[in-house]
Amino acid sequence: MTVRITPSILNADFADMGREVGRIESADGVHIDVMDNHFVPNLTMGVPMVEALRKVSDLPFDAHLMIEDPDVWAPGYVDAGAQTVTFHLEAAKAPIRLAREIRSRGGRAAVALKPATPVEQIADFLDEFDQVLLMTVEPGFGGQSFLDCVLPKIRRTRELIDRTGKDIWLQVDGGVSPRTIARAAQAGADTFVAGSAVYRAEAPDEAVQRLRNLATRATA
Ligand code: DX5
Ligand code: ZN
């Protein structure tokens, strides 16, 4: 299994984002948490940040949209320079149409599920997506504790993905750290968001490498 580490810049220094994305050279991508203060009780960044960072980083971007009305706003993130655009199933009015719109603009389409949303809701149209994001905390804030109660859903999602025979990435987000990443990897996740575990470390890039080693070892 290919392990990918996609650090979240939510815990990076907002006064110096250009430099911050440069501190994770071995990452497989940058996870950009977009919050609108409606879908979640927090407000972060949007299209202008994606466009600005696109100019200073060659890493793939993965925009995690914790916003209402993704049907309206998500496609614009492909145009802004995000390789993967992730919208929440709970917020989308027409998830299949939206996934197709993201793909038609050249993006990878990803769907995110909050901890209490069953994966069975997307089982019949899983192949509309290039990635499934399972939240392992309630979305809204960095630095929360990993929810072990999501582990059975990670296992069920892995089974559903394997049954499609398609290369669909299974990403987990929230509370991923050296203490929790092995559990998530053993359950079947292959793509890991880590915010505080990377950006609160003294050497963020070493933290990325350590997380990748732990996940790789856990699934070897
Ligand atoms: C939470 C965000 C996560 C979060 C991860 O709503 O989607 O990406 O920033 O931060 P940690 O790794 O600190 O839980
Ligand atoms: Zn996120």
Side-chain angles (χ1 to χ4, degrees):
M1 190 173 71
T2 311
V3 169
R4 298 173 206 90
I5 308 293
T6 53
S8 160
I9 53 170
L10 187 60
N11 280 287
D13 178 1
F14 272 45
D16 208 351
M17 277 304 196
R19 175 171 169 268
E20 290 288 73
V21 295
R23 294 172 78 203
I24 48 168
E25 302 93 332
S26 11
D28 299 283
V30 181
H31 181 87
I32 302 177
D33 284 307
V34 177
M35 306 188 189
D36 69 351
N37 202 24
H38 289 275
F39 182 71
V40 290
N42 196 1
L43 183 64
T44 57
M45 48 197 131
V47 161
M49 181 65 86
V50 175
E51 287 171 342
L53 293 179
R54 187 68 291 161
K55 293 184 190 137
V56 298
S57 172
D58 294 327
L59 288 171
F61 289 173
D62 125 44
H64 175 198
L65 307 184
M66 287 159 276
I67 62 171
E68 286 181 357
D69 264 335
D71 304 68
V72 172
W73 302 109
Y77 283 83
V78 182
D79 305 339
Q83 274 67 24
T84 303
V85 178
T86 306
F87 62 86
H88 270 266
L89 184 70
E90 301 88 353
K93 294 186 179 73
I96 296 173
R97 186 173 63 206
L98 180 52
R100 290 181 182 185
E101 177 63 25
I102 291 168
R103 281 178 165 177
S104 78
R105 295 202 189 197
R108 298 176 69 254
V111 66
L113 306 180
K114 298 209 282 184
T117 305
V119 65
E120 286 70 23
Q121 288 189 17
I122 56 169
D124 292 338
F125 51 95
L126 211 50
D127 59 1
E128 297 285 344
F129 303 108
D130 300 291
Q131 173 172 290
V132 176
L133 166 53
L134 298 183
M135 291 303 304
T136 41
V137 297
E138 291 291 355
F141 300 92
Q144 303 181 73
S145 299
F146 184 89
L147 291 173
D148 278 298
C149 58
V150 180
L151 288 169
K153 182 162 74 172
I154 300 175
R155 281 184 217 108
R156 296 202 303 281
T157 308
R158 168 50 57 203
E159 283 169 21
L160 289 167
I161 287 175
D162 287 350
R163 243 179 271 161
T164 68
K166 300 260 166 69
D167 183 25
I168 302 169
W169 301 359
L170 176 44
Q171 187 178 47
V172 286
D173 181 8
V176 173
S177 73
R179 279 181 39 232
T180 58
I181 195 166
R183 299 208 278 284
Q186 278 160 2
D190 55 18
T191 306
F192 303 87
V193 178
S196 39
V198 169
Y199 276 103
R200 281 188 204 153
E202 249 165 62
D205 200 57
E206 280 171 29
V208 169
Q209 294 174 34
R210 179 164 176 226
L211 287 167
R212 186 183 288 104
N213 289 341
L214 288 167
T216 305
R217 222 178 301 151
T219 53

